[in-house]
Amino acid sequence: MLKKANFYDDNADLQFHFERKIDFNLMFELCPADAKEATSCHTAEDFRKTWMEIVRNIGEFAGTQLANNSMRVEREHVTLGADGEVTFGPALSDNMKIIKELGAMAMGISPKYGGIGAPMVIELAAGEMVNRACPSTLLNAVWYGPIAHIIEQFGSEDVRRKYIPRIATGAISGCMALTEADAGSDLGALKTYGEKSANGEWRVHGSKRFISNGCGDIALVLAKTAKGDEGLKRLSLFLCERKIAGEHNYRVTKLEEKIALHGSATCELKFDGSRAILLGKEDEGFVYMLRLMNDARLGVAFQGLGTFTGVFNQINDYAHQRQA
């Protein structure tokens, strides 16, 4: 039987911040004109009502569809086929289908590229509620808007127009390929490198490990600007498509086993002369990474809130039911 809940209405902390602490008047004042137009908000009160309704709808979706599907998602493990393609279980696929139909992929993306320009606090609150319901689903849903933000910040206008509208519709997703087997937090030890040909085309060589959603359609790859380079000042950021003209440009070679995240694909990737686009300037990759990680840290903090809220509620329910 379908259990019904609303993960906004039952969360006094979220309600306190949205109804008493967030200054919607200031947010409306700072909101770009195209984002106001995308949501048909002409006054600060329209703005507040629109986003509060969206937050409540996300809370209901998380508390019903996602929460009720969460155990199925865990039982239906992600698999890697001999052809290098990753397959998700039916429950996770159902969740993602509905999320795409709701247009959630476009929420935080600039209206210029097909989004609706949601304030970041809306995205963060949505992430908290979705993660509370089903962490695996969140780890599939977050690889749209944030990837579009990076491309918009650092990519050329041609690159933005080629990729961001497709991300906004949910047609493609991405990943951030930073970590390597011997280089986690020590980015200066990265071995993956870019190679620039005489005609100006970039090729990427190397391996990445522990990459969430590494099976996505595009990878943003942090790599040395040239083979043998040393230090953080010789890192660049590249965009690689996983497939070009139906053929693998880079491959998923392994899926990692994790506790309680069986609906999320954490991948090992192999780049063997993979065609790439340089994002921004050469040797600025570390600076770009710091900027994108600042946003990512906020997202992870809200993920943690969602997890702790779900765990606390289950413990609290058990403590009140247990006979001792």
Side-chain angles (χ1 to χ4, degrees):
M1 183 171 133
L2 183 71
K3 291 186 188 177
K4 292 190 176 181
N6 188 306
F7 283 0
Y8 175 80
D9 289 340
D10 73 357
N11 190 321
D13 178 64
L14 268 180
Q15 290 178 51
F16 174 79
H17 285 282
F18 270 87
E19 294 166 23
R20 297 178 60 183
K21 300 297 288 184
I22 292 176
D23 188 341
F24 280 98
N25 290 324
L26 178 60
M27 286 172 60
F28 179 74
E29 184 181 326
L30 297 174
C31 184
D34 58 358
K36 293 174 184 176
E37 185 178 345
T39 52
S40 300
C41 292
H42 305 294
T43 67
E45 183 59 16
D46 289 342
F47 187 81
R48 185 191 68 80
K49 286 181 177 178
T50 295
W51 287 114
M52 286 301 302
E53 182 180 1
I54 289 172
V55 167
R56 282 199 171 92
N57 288 340
I58 294 169
E60 183 173 354
F61 173 62
T64 52
Q65 168 76 20
L66 298 185
N68 281 284
N69 249 0
S70 60
M71 290 308 298
R72 282 182 57 210
V73 170
E74 276 307 299
R75 288 193 293 266
E76 299 168 357
H77 288 213
V78 178
T79 58
L80 175 62
D83 59 355
E85 295 298 315
V86 171
T87 302
F88 294 89
L92 190 283
S93 298
D94 287 346
N95 288 350
M96 292 304 297
K97 179 182 178 183
I98 294 173
I99 288 173
K100 290 179 182 180
E101 288 173 350
L102 292 172
M105 307 319 183
M107 192 162 68
I109 295 175
S110 169
K112 182 178 180 181
Y113 303 106
I116 56 175
M120 189 175 184
V121 68
I122 304 295
E123 290 186 280
L124 293 171
E128 176 182 338
M129 293 185 286
V130 171
N131 197 69
R132 173 182 164 188
C134 181
S136 287
T137 297
L138 181 71
L139 285 178
N140 281 272
V142 297
W143 297 107
Y144 293 84
I147 296 298
H149 293 325
I150 298 168
I151 295 172
E152 184 172 0
Q153 285 183 70
F154 309 124
S156 67
E157 187 60 24
D158 286 345
V159 170
R160 293 171 190 163
R161 294 195 177 280
K162 181 176 181 179
Y163 295 103
I164 299 178
R166 288 191 287 157
I167 295 172
T169 64
I172 61 172
S173 68
C175 69
M176 271 304 307
L178 305 180
T179 306
E180 297 179 10
D182 298 314
S185 57
D186 181 12
L187 294 177
L190 292 178
K191 296 291 190 290
T192 301
Y193 66 93
E195 187 174 58
K196 193 174 184 179
S197 65
N199 64 5
E201 183 179 66
W202 285 92
R203 300 275 181 164
V204 171
H205 302 261
S207 298
K208 296 290 182 177
R209 197 170 182 191
F210 307 123
I211 308 304
S212 297
N213 200 49
C215 56
D217 305 279
I218 55 176
L220 303 182
V221 186
L222 191 66
K224 293 294 175 65
T225 306
K227 186 176 183 179
D229 281 349
E230 296 183 1
L232 298 174
K233 293 183 178 180
R234 290 292 287 163
L235 291 171
S236 294
L237 187 63
F238 299 93
L239 185 155
C240 293
E241 294 189 40
R242 187 169 61 86
K243 281 188 167 182
I244 297 176
E247 300 294 327
H248 282 96
N249 187 39
Y250 65 87
R251 286 185 173 272
V252 178
T253 54
K254 179 184 177 184
L255 292 179
E256 303 291 344
E257 170 61 26
K258 299 163 294 184
I259 297 173
L261 286 172
H262 294 124
S264 166
T266 303
C267 307
E268 185 173 277
L269 306 178
K270 178 66 175 176
F271 299 87
D272 188 11
S274 305
R275 291 170 61 183
I277 298 168
L278 176 71
L279 292 183
K281 299 177 181 178
E282 290 184 30
D283 302 334
E284 292 291 319
F286 181 66
V287 175
Y288 299 160
M289 189 277 303
L290 290 179
R291 289 173 62 179
L292 66 93
M293 288 303 292
N294 285 338
D295 289 349
R297 287 187 176 101
L298 290 172
V300 171
F302 274 76
Q303 279 181 261
L305 280 173
T307 299
F308 294 144
T309 300
V311 170
F312 174 81
N313 288 343
Q314 290 189 45
I315 292 170
N316 189 50
D317 290 344
Y318 177 73
H320 282 83
Q321 294 169 14
R322 182 175 180 266
Q323 298 297 316

